[in-house]
Amino acid sequence: MKFHEFKISGKNLTPAKAKPFETITPWAAKLWPLPILLLATLVRLYGSTASAIWCDEGSSLLMSQYSPSLIWIHSAHDVHPPLYFLLLHIWIGAFGDSLFSIRFLSVLTGIGTVGLGMWLVYQVATRHAAIVAGVLMALLPIAVRYSQEVRMYSLMGLWLLGATLALVYWVRKPERHRYLVIYVLLMTASFYTHYFTGLCALSHWAYLTVVRSEKRRLVTLPAWWVANSFIAMLYAPWIPGLIDLLQHLDQLRAGGDIGWIEPITMASLPSTLWQYLTLSDAQNLRWPLYLALPLALVLVTGAVCLRDRSPYKFNVLLAIYAFLPLIVVFVVSWKVPLLVERYLMFSALGLPMILAIAIDQLRRHFRYAAVAMLVTVLTVELVGLHNDYQTDDEQFDKLVNYVNENYQANDRIVVSDLFWYFSYVYYNKTGSVPLLYTPPRADGTSGRPGDYGFGTLVNSDADRVYLDSLEMLPLGQTRVWLVSNSAPPDDFASIPGNWNKVSTLKVGDTQVRLYTLRRQ
């Protein structure tokens, strides 16, 4: 079905309902998604290079520098599957590693996600609803933020919305197996992008257990089981690496790659919904206002589902897609903290689609109420975009550029933590390989990273990169730059007595100190 054809539950609308668009001119009526995609593009491009590369982005860039075969090996030791890193490797080879270029890959997938969201709503509701959904998705703060990062979350959203759209087509015509083929490919791609894809798969299974087609539950159809078997087979090459990773959780925990997520409270659930729409947990608000937005989202979703009289209950699919992953992660997090809003960005995309359908339904009977609801949602989103565009002038790249400008031949650069190390490597223009400070732990064990988690990216260069003690620098060394957190305690607690501090530059929560070394 062409994108401009207008259907609800597989039935063509009457010309009278399509008339407002047809009076524009037929060709213009077909181009209505373009202004929305342009809006999505502008919103994502604006400020996309304003913030400095941070640790996770730096790790993506370091991973992408390996060959495809080594990316497969190293990502098996990392906490994310390899597909995004492979695509980033190809992208950088074609377009370079400028800040604009490396983030533009996520911008593109974010724009594609908006297009798929409009297409999905167009299939399950009306053109008016699809237009509103497109605008709300274009401005959705969490989607904008992670369309501006060198990470896999925007790509994951693209795969999973595409898979959900393919599922809608298949549900309408289960005999059309080509839709399941598309579904298999998109779900497999997403599984190779992020492990939380399993939550979307759970949502699809949950939906199919409640929907019927010709008095049969679609979840029982052999074609559905065969399709999921193919997903499992295509994912099988990655299973040994995943099992190996799970067997080394202690190393990941020791290195801080897992275990850093804060324990949840009862406030975590509503706060996550606030994060989706405003990029703030909103816990500074009075409790009636704090609970108002989450409660409104739940009530609107419930109303949209109850008003769904179609045989396929696609509104229920959107509700499950948006809320079930969050609920599952919230419950599991009482045992093992996993609740991080960016991991669930894909399911947050369901909220603007649900809200758009609700606004469209309200418009038919209470036009002014629909306008008020739309203005309210847009206002909340604009607050979130304002929060997203706020950047600190004192950013890490300023510190690295200071070193680049004042570096002298044979200077050595020592970074105190992996959190800063990956970002430093990206901005470093001196030609000198930065050293990573790895002093022994308090119990005497090695402070070097393990082979799993971030450590996999630097362990192969351990002899060139790790510095267990400042006294181990070569005797002929005359100047050393120390990069660390600016807040106490000092990461470099023990400075050799023959070191003389020349200068200090503090940038945000980091600092760089230049020392000259006197011969003893």
Side-chain angles (χ1 to χ4, degrees), residues 118-303:
M118 286 191 289
W119 190 356
L120 178 55
V121 175
Y122 195 34
Q123 297 305 305
V124 305
T126 70
R127 193 192 318 237
H128 287 98
I131 292 172
V132 175
V135 173
L136 296 183
M137 292 185 73
L139 302 177
L140 183 66
I142 190 172
V144 174
R145 167 168 288 185
Y146 295 110
S147 294
Q148 296 177 326
E149 283 203 357
V150 191
R151 295 297 279 170
M152 67 289 297
Y153 309 112
S154 180
L155 178 65
M156 179 189 182
L158 182 74
W159 298 140
L160 294 181
L161 269 192
T164 304
L165 181 61
L167 181 66
V168 166
Y169 274 97
W170 176 71
V171 166
R172 281 182 176 156
K173 296 185 177 181
E175 69 279 3
R176 300 273 180 95
H177 293 162
R178 65 175 179 270
Y179 300 131
L180 279 183
V181 172
I182 297 172
Y183 179 84
V184 167
L185 295 176
L186 291 172
M187 288 298 292
T188 302
S190 189
F191 270 112
Y192 275 105
T193 301
H194 199 282
Y195 295 122
F196 270 40
T197 296
L199 294 169
C200 180
L202 176 64
S203 298
H204 292 163
W205 278 83
Y207 162 71
L208 291 178
T209 60
V210 301
V211 69
R212 292 176 178 269
S213 176
E214 298 178 358
K215 298 182 179 179
R216 55 182 176 176
R217 292 197 182 277
L218 292 176
V219 76
T220 64
L221 293 183
W224 174 248
W225 287 82
V226 170
N228 282 271
S229 297
F230 271 106
I231 294 173
M233 286 190 291
L234 291 172
Y235 197 60
W238 187 249
I239 298 300
L242 176 58
I243 293 174
D244 184 51
L245 182 70
L246 293 174
Q247 291 174 341
H248 291 85
L249 291 178
D250 289 341
Q251 288 192 35
L252 290 168
R253 191 174 291 108
D257 297 279
I258 64 172
W260 54 267
I261 303 174
E262 293 292 330
I264 65 167
T265 66
M266 290 303 297
S268 299
L269 190 59
S271 288
T272 302
L273 294 173
W274 276 101
Q275 289 277 6
Y276 289 167
L277 294 173
T278 67
L279 300 178
S280 168
D281 62 17
Q283 293 195 26
N284 60 322
L285 299 176
R286 294 184 180 275
W287 71 265
L289 183 57
Y290 172 70
L291 293 177
L293 184 141
L295 183 59
L297 290 175
V298 172
L299 292 176
V300 167
T301 302

Side-chain angles (χ1 to χ4, degrees), residues 266-380:
M266 290 303 297
S268 299
L269 190 59
S271 288
T272 302
L273 294 173
W274 276 101
Q275 289 277 6
Y276 289 167
L277 294 173
T278 67
L279 300 178
S280 168
D281 62 17
Q283 293 195 26
N284 60 322
L285 299 176
R286 294 184 180 275
W287 71 265
L289 183 57
Y290 172 70
L291 293 177
L293 184 141
L295 183 59
L297 290 175
V298 172
L299 292 176
V300 167
T301 302
V304 166
C305 291
L306 290 174
R307 288 180 59 85
D308 188 353
R309 298 290 187 265
S310 67
Y312 305 115
K313 303 295 182 184
F314 288 132
N315 292 354
V316 175
L317 169 62
L318 295 180
I320 294 174
Y321 179 89
F323 284 95
L324 183 61
L326 173 58
I327 293 171
V328 170
V329 172
F330 177 72
V331 172
V332 172
S333 291
W334 289 101
K335 180 69 174 179
V336 180
L338 293 173
L339 186 54
V340 180
E341 73 282 351
R342 60 179 178 270
Y343 296 168
L344 293 167
M345 192 274 285
F346 74 92
S347 65
L349 297 171
L351 291 180
M353 293 188 279
I354 294 169
L355 290 170
I357 293 172
I359 290 169
D360 182 54
Q361 291 176 348
L362 193 61
R363 175 187 63 86
R364 300 173 195 174
H365 305 287
F366 305 99
R367 183 177 298 271
Y368 293 115
V371 171
M373 181 176 175
L374 176 60
V375 170
T376 301
V377 176
L378 288 174
T379 301
V380 172

